[in-house]
Amino acid sequence: MTVPEGLERVMPEIGHDLFNVLVIRTDFSDDESWSAVVGELRRPWGPGGEFPAMVQLVVAPAWSGATADEVLAAVVDEDLRVVFLADRETMQSPAWALLALSTDWEDESELDPVYYRELVESPEPRECRAVPAAVHGVQVDLALGNVNFAEIAGAASEEPDQVLRPI
């Protein structure tokens, strides 16, 4: 997807608080759904709702239509483990499921296919879907190293609709 003329895709500086969640809006077709997503993202989270929601929203027309690859190419913060996209599927989903993208992926195209056969044939997942209520837990678990992205994607894949929900 090309960047709309006169606009530049710039990734904002991310605060280094473990609880900060980065959400980039890439679909601008439904403001009502977007408002609902934002409302859900800003709700306190945790078992008893004891943690305040800390969300950094990127709402810039330059990101309209951006693909997962384009977003990941723009990520420069080495401490950032996951980025969430509010894409077309998010806006059309009754659960407003965001696309979670792991920033810890590597291009396997140049690996020796004999030596790295298992990795080349079965790469780690780099994306999954999560409802807004689950994104804070995903962010914190990845930042603390409690789980890796493959475990999160695996949990999402076990759900009937392939969408991660909070425990």
Side-chain angles (χ1 to χ4, degrees):
M1 180 84 22
T2 59
V3 179
E5 190 174 327
L7 300 176
E8 183 181 358
R9 290 185 177 148
V10 178
M11 192 64 67
E13 278 194 42
I14 312 304
H16 290 287
D17 189 306
L18 292 179
F19 294 99
N20 279 349
V21 172
L22 176 63
V23 178
I24 300 173
R25 183 178 183 185
T26 63
D27 181 88
F28 290 80
S29 66
D30 187 343
D31 288 336
E32 190 174 314
S33 288
W34 172 245
S35 292
V37 169
V38 171
E40 289 296 310
L41 286 168
R42 290 189 171 148
R43 296 180 82 172
W45 66 280
E50 68 268 23
F51 301 114
M54 295 174 66
V55 182
Q56 184 166 1
L57 302 174
V58 176
V59 184
W63 289 99
S64 180
T67 65
D69 287 333
E70 290 170 333
V71 170
L72 290 173
V75 172
V76 294
D77 187 334
E78 294 179 11
D79 294 326
L80 189 64
R81 298 285 171 246
V82 64
V83 175
F84 297 91
L85 301 188
D87 60 2
R88 181 171 304 278
E89 189 171 332
T90 301
M91 302 305 176
Q92 295 175 347
S93 162
W96 302 303
L98 296 152
L99 181 63
L101 297 175
S102 171
T103 62
D104 289 336
W105 65 280
E106 294 181 29
D107 181 8
E108 291 95 16
S109 63
E110 297 194 22
L111 294 178
D112 180 345
V114 174
Y115 187 74
Y116 293 102
R117 180 177 169 188
E118 185 177 328
L119 180 60
V120 170
E121 291 176 0
S122 302
E124 293 281 319
R126 72 172 200 172
E127 63 184 50
C128 67
R129 293 265 167 198
V131 297
V135 301
H136 301 286
V138 169
Q139 169 66 33
V140 170
D141 280 341
L142 289 172
L144 294 176
N146 293 339
V147 296
N148 63 34
F149 194 85
E151 292 171 292
I152 289 169
S157 71
E158 292 174 4
E159 294 294 326
D161 60 356
Q162 308 284 300
V163 175
L164 185 68
R165 288 177 171 71
I167 297 175

